[in-house]
Amino acid sequence: MRARSTSLKDVAEALNVSYSLVSKVMGGRMGNTRARPEIIQAIHAKAKELDYHPHPLASALKRGHKGAVGVLIHPVGEEGSEIATRLLRGISTGLDTHKIRMWLRFYSSDEEFLHHFDKRARNEVDGVIVVGIPHQKTMEQIMELHDNGMPAITVFDGYQGNTLANVIADVKQQGFLATEHLILRGCRRLAHLVTGSTPNSNLRYKGFLEAHEKYGLVPDSSLAFVAKNYKLESGESSARHWLDQKSSFDGIVAQSDHQAIGAIHELLRHGIRVPDQVRVIGVDDSPLCQSSPVPLSSVTGEWTAVGALAAEKVVQEIIDHRPAESRLLIPRLIARMSSA
Amino acid sequence: MRARSTSLKDVAEALNVSYSLVSKVMGGRMGNTRARPEIIQAIHAKAKELDYHPHPLASALKRGHKGAVGVLIHPVGEEGSEIATRLLRGISTGLDTHKIRMWLRFYSSDEEFLHHFDKRARNEVDGVIVVGIPHQKTMEQIMELHDNGMPAITVFDGYQGNTLANVIADVKQQGFLATEHLILRGCRRLAHLVTGSTPNSNLRYKGFLEAHEKYGLVPDSSLAFVAKNYKLESGESSARHWLDQKSSFDGIVAQSDHQAIGAIHELLRHGIRVPDQVRVIGVDDSPLCQSSPVPLSSVTGEWTAVGALAAEKVVQEIIDHRPAESRLLIPRLIARMSSA
DNA sequence: CTGAAAGCGCTTACAG
DNA sequence: CTGAAAGCGCTTACAG
């Protein structure tokens, strides 16, 4: 067995002071207490010498906390985008600052969410970060929890409400940046994908329109393709469609990297050169961009930063007891060969 | 604020028994205690009624545990393979069974490992799962920790030692399965990648040889290509090499999905049809397989199962105080278009 | 200015 | 067969 690690008592005894004093000094919570500077110095020195670190459970217990934040992740985005990993990277860093542990669970449906986040689970966390898609029941659950005082931050793609604090990249800005980039590269006839009636897709499309407006261009509505989803196949279909129509176009603004890569595959199959004849850009800057036949330009989802900020905000709700506010992060453009 | 959740005392008072009895009954740890069945019934019933769940911190504190397992992840495999997500999925499920939380950190070098897993960190966990590559210093650290009684399980690709319990898919078997599959599809001249002198690569190559042996075939050593790494570019180079040499080959056994896809890109550029003229297979069954120009066959790394088992094993070490044993998991073949 | 004491919610050796 | 009591390592209102 490993030796018991050093406790408050150990350093108190070594210094012949009460361990309550040590606790106050170490915690920086002196209250009306005003110890002599030399004592404070000595305590800090001894603590360092004995390698004292407060027991994470004991303080949480005393404070009435559970010492953990629930992180419920829906596989947002397509597989291969590494969104979950990036988010978790941010979240784990953010939580660590406050010495809070993670209670991690993956869910893929309303039912699974309810199943995973049952009463027992709720009893084990001080707050929750929910990553995913705002499905009906899941939303209701979270709202109810939040109303009952459970700190909750959402990371919802395209969440429009404002009851819950939501952290996400600015989707409209993604559309704007991607479009502007191709325009600046010289594209004048941009084909673009719209994905069903998802709020995100609509926002990105809005950014697409705004970019055109800024440069005094008018998009050709016949170059819009309504895709079923964000998958590769949708990109292939779109390219096939435009080629079948014999449409003339010099760029493609996709709604995901998968769509963009699907489109590239199809273009290449028809002997059309990327980026020489058609420039292509995706969304998310997923690792896929680099394994595309032509390395793909993209705009970021800023997932690591989103994760870190979400963590910061739950902790804030937990400590301050007041609701956090939503926040949109600014995406960045990553230019690669496909738009060169 | 949310209401305090129900405690042992609440159910004890409601039943007019001591809360120590309730603790014993709920924990199933009766020791020499043998309460009347009706009391036991009543306690269970009341606990259910009041929705009692033991406070996770309190019991861990009492037991001298930290209630958390450290999970240190190195981005094994290439980005886009979603290995981290898959592992975490398994680990989180495994740990939850025992109500243990996660202390998660990502590291990408020996230095970062040491930095993240410093004394403070060690003080916060009951054990550790280390995922990555067995670098010198990292290994030494883990060994030393383990020697000092810290439960530790590694998930090391190609770890050969036996001091630490390692959980991983059977790499040789991956090579065997992939090769056998192509042979059964009719391939007789298999080109293959060997990746530097990494132990994994050597093991997979061994599987490659064994599959040939089983079917009475002799591999053509001129069809071996030594790749720098597991990336896409290596696959492209390999295909270019074979084509330049005017080698005749009807299949490619890669050491990663990225390599396989790189090879496919290159073949297609030269107008060679996959799978009609050349069949291709990768390793890891990453999401990339589905975004390949031709959907890629692969063998699994069983990462979710690996994660679950690793979790199971740390917990076992924590509870039983005896070292766990290494374990190899059997990979599965996933056949797609590229080998049809 | 400093410390003794109560208590967070449990577990378990011990007494009855 | 059951319960009172001590204690895990902290924090903090309270007394001196």
Side-chain angles (χ1 to χ4, degrees):
Chain A
M1 273 301 295
R2 278 175 301 151
R4 197 178 54 74
S5 47
T6 91
S7 73
L8 275 184
K9 268 184 186 155
D10 297 324
V11 355
E13 275 168 16
L15 251 43
N16 238 328
V17 295
S18 77
Y19 66 95
S20 15
L21 217 213
V22 180
S23 169
K24 290 171 203 163
V25 170
M26 294 307 294
R29 298 165 257 86
M30 300 296 286
N32 50 11
T33 302
R34 206 152 317 277
R36 293 198 309 281
E38 59 265 37
I39 292 276
I40 298 188
Q41 292 291 330
I43 288 177
H44 277 124
K46 197 49 125 183
K48 188 154 201 177
E49 181 193 331
L50 298 182
D51 197 28
Y52 168 73
H53 300 284
H55 189 116
L57 299 191
S59 52
L61 176 61
K62 181 60 193 174
R63 291 190 158 123
H65 289 173
K66 309 290 169 126
V69 160
V71 176
L72 286 138
I73 297 203
H74 179 99
V76 255
E78 299 303 324
E79 260 218 304
S81 54
E82 298 277 7
I83 292 180
T85 310
R86 293 171 180 194
L87 269 169
L88 286 173
R89 199 183 272 263
I91 294 174
S92 64
T93 312
L95 291 181
D96 184 47
T97 316
H98 301 276
K99 297 222 203 173
I100 295 180
R101 289 83 167 306
M102 222 161 95
W103 183 102
L104 176 66
R105 204 76 357 131
F106 294 86
Y107 73 100
S108 49
S109 66
D110 260 3
E111 291 69 41
E112 259 193 283
F113 179 86
L114 301 182
H115 173 71
H116 280 319
F117 208 51
D118 57 6
K119 286 199 177 162
R120 173 170 87 72
R122 280 165 214 178
N123 185 46
E124 304 213 346
V125 300
D126 297 319
V128 67
I129 296 175
V130 185
V131 179
I133 294 166
H135 283 312
Q136 191 56 37
K137 280 190 189 165
T138 301
M139 282 302 291
E140 282 168 13
Q141 284 283 318
I142 305 169
M143 298 269 209
E144 192 196 316
L145 275 173
H146 195 248
D147 288 346
N148 287 323
M150 166 83 82
I153 303 292
T154 58
V155 177
F156 281 163
D157 234 17
Y159 172 62
Q160 304 278 6
N162 51 10
T163 329
L164 294 168
N166 192 54
V167 179
I168 198 80
D170 187 332
V171 170
K172 192 175 84 175
Q173 191 64 14
Q174 288 180 329
F176 180 86
L177 280 179
T179 309
E180 178 178 51
H181 176 62
L182 292 195
I183 290 174
L184 291 176
R185 285 298 186 185
C187 296
R188 285 299 170 268
R189 293 189 48 76
L190 290 175
H192 54 280
L193 286 113
V194 186
T195 309
S197 56
T198 61
N200 262 352
S201 177
N202 292 337
L203 278 171
R204 286 206 195 93
Y205 182 57
K206 213 165 169 183
F208 175 86
L209 294 178
E210 287 183 7
H212 277 77
E213 203 168 334
K214 174 169 175 188
Y215 292 92
L217 299 172
V218 180
D220 181 344
S221 61
S222 78
L223 287 176
F225 178 84
V226 179
K228 271 209 307 284
N229 53 39
Y230 291 99
K231 291 180 198 286
L232 201 91
E233 293 76 25
S234 290
E236 294 178 323
S237 311
S238 70
R240 216 174 299 126
H241 168 80
W242 292 316
L243 295 173
D244 284 353
Q245 306 289 309
K246 311 239 182 271
S247 312
S248 106
F249 61 101
D250 52 11
I252 298 178
V253 178
Q255 292 262 351
S256 75
D257 291 334
H258 283 80
Q259 287 179 348
I261 289 173
I264 291 180
H265 287 168
E266 195 66 23
L267 292 176
L268 295 182
R269 275 184 215 119
H270 286 78
I272 293 171
R273 277 165 289 122
V274 176
D276 309 16
Q277 295 172 270
V278 175
R279 291 185 172 81
V280 183
I281 189 163
V283 173
D284 252 350
D285 188 36
S286 77
L288 238 60
C289 294
Q290 295 172 53
S291 64
S292 158
V294 180
L296 181 68
S297 299
S298 195
V299 285
T300 64
E302 295 298 308
W303 293 107
T304 305
V306 165
L309 191 58
E312 210 48 62
K313 283 183 181 287
V314 235
V315 173
Q316 180 196 316
E317 285 204 351
I318 292 171
I319 297 178
D320 301 355
H321 293 296
R322 53 188 186 73
E325 300 205 327
S326 290
R327 171 90 168 271
L328 287 182
L329 299 192
I330 309 299
R332 285 167 302 136
L333 178 85
I334 309 291
R336 296 199 181 82
M337 184 62 75
S338 73
S339 66
Chain B
M1 273 301 296
R2 279 173 303 150
R4 198 178 54 74
S5 48
T6 89
S7 73
L8 273 183
K9 268 183 185 154
D10 298 323
V11 356
E13 275 167 18
L15 251 43
N16 237 329
V17 295
S18 77
Y19 67 93
S20 16
L21 217 212
V22 178
S23 169
K24 290 171 202 164
V25 170
M26 294 307 294
R29 298 166 259 85
M30 299 296 286
N32 49 13
T33 302
R34 207 152 317 276
R36 294 198 307 281
E38 58 265 37
I39 294 275
I40 297 187
Q41 292 291 331
I43 289 177
H44 278 124
K46 197 48 122 184
K48 189 154 201 177
E49 181 193 331
L50 297 182
D51 197 29
Y52 168 73
H53 299 284
H55 189 115
L57 299 191
S59 51
L61 177 61
K62 181 59 193 174
R63 291 190 157 124
H65 288 173
K66 309 290 170 126
V69 160
V71 177
L72 285 138
I73 298 204
H74 179 99
V76 254
E78 299 304 324
E79 260 219 305
S81 55
E82 298 278 7
I83 292 180
T85 310
R86 292 171 180 194
L87 269 169
L88 286 173
R89 200 183 271 265
I91 293 174
S92 64
T93 313
L95 291 182
D96 184 48
T97 317
H98 301 277
K99 299 222 202 171
I100 295 181
R101 289 82 167 306
M102 221 160 95
W103 184 101
L104 177 65
R105 204 78 355 133
F106 293 86
Y107 73 100
S108 48
S109 66
D110 260 2
E111 292 68 41
E112 259 194 282
F113 180 86
L114 301 182
H115 174 71
H116 280 319
F117 207 51
D118 56 6
K119 284 200 179 161
R120 174 170 86 74
R122 281 165 213 179
N123 185 45
E124 303 213 347
V125 300
D126 296 319
V128 66
I129 297 174
V130 185
V131 178
I133 293 166
H135 283 312
Q136 192 56 37
K137 281 191 190 164
T138 301
M139 282 303 290
E140 282 167 13
Q141 283 284 319
I142 305 169
M143 299 270 209
E144 191 195 318
L145 276 174
H146 196 248
D147 288 347
N148 287 322
M150 167 83 81
I153 303 291
T154 58
V155 178
F156 282 163
D157 234 19
Y159 172 63
Q160 304 277 5
N162 51 12
T163 329
L164 294 167
N166 191 53
V167 180
I168 198 79
D170 186 332
V171 170
K172 191 175 84 175
Q173 190 64 16
Q174 288 180 328
F176 180 86
L177 280 179
T179 309
E180 178 178 51
H181 176 63
L182 292 195
I183 291 175
L184 291 175
R185 286 297 187 185
C187 297
R188 284 300 170 267
R189 292 188 50 76
L190 290 175
H192 54 280
L193 286 113
V194 186
T195 309
S197 55
T198 62
N200 261 353
S201 177
N202 292 337
L203 278 171
R204 287 206 194 93
Y205 181 58
K206 212 164 170 183
F208 175 87
L209 295 178
E210 288 183 8
H212 278 77
E213 203 169 334
K214 174 170 173 187
Y215 293 93
L217 299 172
V218 180
D220 181 345
S221 61
S222 78
L223 287 176
F225 179 85
V226 180
K228 270 209 307 284
N229 54 39
Y230 291 99
K231 292 180 197 285
L232 202 90
E233 292 76 23
S234 290
E236 294 179 322
S237 311
S238 70
R240 215 173 300 126
H241 168 81
W242 292 316
L243 294 172
D244 284 353
Q245 307 289 310
K246 311 240 180 271
S247 312
S248 107
F249 60 102
D250 52 11
I252 298 178
V253 178
Q255 293 261 353
S256 76
D257 290 334
H258 283 80
Q259 286 179 349
I261 289 173
I264 291 181
H265 286 168
E266 195 66 23
L267 292 176
L268 295 181
R269 274 184 216 120
H270 285 79
I272 294 171
R273 277 166 288 122
V274 177
D276 309 17
Q277 295 172 270
V278 175
R279 291 186 172 82
V280 182
I281 189 162
V283 173
D284 252 349
D285 188 36
S286 78
L288 238 61
C289 294
Q290 295 171 53
S291 64
S292 158
V294 180
L296 180 68
S297 299
S298 196
V299 285
T300 64
E302 295 297 310
W303 293 107
T304 304
V306 164
L309 192 57
E312 209 48 62
K313 282 183 183 286
V314 236
V315 173
Q316 179 196 315
E317 285 203 352
I318 293 171
I319 297 178
D320 301 357
H321 293 296
R322 52 188 188 74
E325 301 205 327
S326 290
R327 172 90 168 270
L328 288 181
L329 299 192
I330 309 298
R332 286 166 302 136
L333 178 87
I334 310 291
R336 297 198 180 83
M337 184 62 75
S338 73
S339 66

